[in-house]
Amino acid sequence: MCVVSDRNESILKVTSIVYPGMLHYSCMWHIWTNIRAKFKKGHLKLSELYFATARSYTLDEFNERMSKIEEIEPRVKAYLYDIRYHRWYRVHATVNRTWTMTSNIAKSLNAVTKYARELQIVELLEYMRTLLERWTKEKLLKAKGTFTYLGYKFNKELDDNSTLSHKLRVRASTDYIHTVIDGMRRYIVCLENKKYSCEQFQLDELPCPHALAALRQRDESFKEYCSLYYIRANFLRTYEIPVNPLPDKSKWNVPQHIIEEVVNPPKGRKRQPGRPQKERYKTYDEINSKKYKVSCGNCGGEGHNKRSCKNAPKKK
């Protein structure tokens, strides 16, 4: 297990208390947004290189791409070095992160619960319970509707790798060791130890194109070479425990000491006088209506103001 976050100091502090000893890694997308804000040139090339570097499977690929980043902007390489490579580059990580390179799942949950967080505590908890109840049911139905050995996502990845494997040539050295020729490159596949020189399998825990080519040469199934986390049977087990419904509030059996307990608001920063302003997002129609368009006080036209008006009378 590991924690992936946006390098916020509060998150680092709290997770070290709640999960002592758990390793902490950084979201590669948040690091990129920092790079884009700090360094003003070469964003297009740097973006492609940075994400490819973070997802590299071997140290050779990593070093080659880091050299290219240094050629474009040396300060970016120094910045990434200061963060520490193991925090954002998965090969240096001591825990296998597989495909978990970002904290996108937290952002998705925040978006779903954006307005629910304004509710009172009981209503908020009930919203979260019904949300999990619906998600669990949907995922269980999806798992039951999957008829492949692997879950949908991993089965698709395996199909893509299988398509690529047909372009490769295989030469067997022993029963378990094969040389796989991929264009101008060659890779060693050891099926017995499940180690491949491309190192893709070690990180993805799913047969890469080179492994699938060797398995086809042996006429052997891929099933023994997939992580147990990816198989349909465990996908079903993940959602087999239902989120139980909650009875009506009138039927709740609340202990007396809980009813009598007084919960005061937290002590925090003093609130400013007056009603707080709440941002309201404009609709598409409102943005395109005349109400929100800038009009010129000189000619009455839209899209410019009085100072930039071309029809303004010239000063004598």
Side-chain angles (χ1 to χ4, degrees):
M1 292 178 66
C2 65
V3 176
V4 179
S5 75
D6 59 1
R7 300 176 63 221
N8 185 290
E9 291 296 330
S10 299
I11 297 175
L12 293 170
K13 181 179 178 181
V14 171
T15 52
S16 65
I17 297 171
V18 179
Y19 301 106
M22 185 175 290
L23 296 170
H24 203 113
Y25 300 112
S26 302
C27 169
M28 68 176 182
W29 175 255
H30 281 89
I31 292 176
W32 167 246
T33 57
N34 291 341
I35 292 172
R36 192 170 53 187
K38 287 176 178 288
F39 310 103
K40 303 300 182 183
K41 68 175 185 178
H43 286 172
L44 192 61
K45 291 181 179 178
L46 281 173
S47 173
E48 185 178 349
L49 271 173
Y50 165 74
F51 287 110
T53 305
R55 294 190 180 100
S56 298
Y57 285 103
T58 64
L59 287 173
D60 290 338
E61 289 177 348
F62 174 82
N63 292 329
E64 181 183 347
R65 287 163 179 165
M66 283 298 290
S67 298
K68 292 179 180 178
I69 289 175
E70 188 177 21
E71 290 175 6
I72 298 171
E73 178 56 87
R75 293 179 299 170
V76 172
K77 182 181 179 180
Y79 176 75
L80 293 172
Y81 178 80
D82 290 339
I83 294 173
R84 300 290 181 266
Y85 290 158
H86 74 277
R87 293 194 180 277
W88 58 273
Y89 171 47
R90 59 182 172 183
V91 171
H92 278 92
T94 52
V95 170
N96 189 0
R97 295 171 59 177
T98 59
W99 287 296
T100 311
M101 300 298 294
T102 67
S103 58
N104 286 355
I105 184 64
K107 299 295 181 185
S108 301
L109 191 61
N110 286 340
V112 171
T113 60
K114 178 180 178 181
Y115 298 107
R117 291 198 295 270
E118 298 178 8
L119 299 173
Q120 294 183 1
I121 296 297
V122 175
E123 284 75 13
L124 171 61
L125 292 174
E126 174 60 9
Y127 176 89
M128 297 299 295
R129 189 198 64 76
T130 55
L131 181 67
L132 292 173
E133 183 181 46
R134 176 166 58 84
W135 280 355
T136 301
K137 180 63 176 176
E138 289 174 357
K139 295 292 185 183
L140 182 61
L141 288 174
K142 186 175 182 179
K144 288 180 177 179
T146 302
F147 301 102
T148 52
Y149 177 72
L150 302 177
Y152 174 80
K153 172 184 175 180
F154 306 104
N155 191 70
K156 186 180 182 303
E157 186 75 19
L158 192 73
D159 285 344
D160 293 341
N161 289 347
S162 180
T163 301
L164 295 172
S165 70
H166 287 280
K167 302 176 183 178
L168 310 177
R169 291 183 293 134
V170 182
R171 187 173 64 242
S173 299
T174 67
D175 287 344
Y176 291 100
I177 299 176
H178 297 75
T179 301
V180 180
I181 301 170
D182 184 0
M184 300 298 293
R185 293 176 177 268
R186 63 177 62 190
Y187 299 90
I188 308 301
V189 174
C190 180
L191 296 174
E192 186 175 19
N193 298 325
K194 298 181 181 179
K195 289 187 177 180
Y196 317 142
S197 59
C198 68
E199 297 187 27
Q200 186 173 342
F201 173 79
Q202 286 91 311
L203 290 174
D204 292 348
E205 296 185 22
L206 193 73
C208 62
H210 311 117
L212 289 171
L215 288 170
R216 190 181 301 109
Q217 176 88 350
R218 284 176 48 85
D219 195 23
E220 187 178 349
S221 173
F222 64 86
K223 293 182 178 180
E224 293 183 11
Y225 299 88
C226 299
S227 171
L228 293 177
Y229 289 113
Y230 303 158
I231 66 175
R232 176 181 176 271
N234 284 331
F235 191 20
L236 281 165
R237 289 179 62 196
T238 303
Y239 300 100
E240 68 181 2
I241 301 175
V243 178
N244 293 319
L246 193 67
D248 185 75
K249 190 175 181 179
S250 61
K251 302 294 184 182
W252 292 0
N253 183 17
V254 184
Q256 189 63 32
H257 70 278
I258 296 295
I259 295 174
E260 295 174 352
E261 187 175 358
V262 177
V263 181
N264 295 316
K267 294 180 180 179
R269 193 170 51 181
K270 187 177 179 181
R271 182 177 168 181
Q272 296 297 323
R275 184 175 180 178
Q277 292 185 352
K278 183 177 178 181
E279 182 181 357
R280 185 181 75 84
Y281 293 99
K282 302 178 184 70
T283 65
Y284 179 83
D285 292 333
E286 285 177 334
I287 293 171
N288 285 277
S289 67
K290 290 185 178 180
K291 181 179 177 181
Y292 292 101
K293 288 186 177 178
V294 178
S295 60
C296 176
N298 179 57
C299 67
E302 294 178 350
H304 63 278
N305 55 27
K306 195 172 182 179
R307 290 184 177 181
S308 60
C309 181
K310 294 181 180 179
N311 298 323
K314 295 182 180 179
K315 293 182 180 180
K316 292 182 181 179

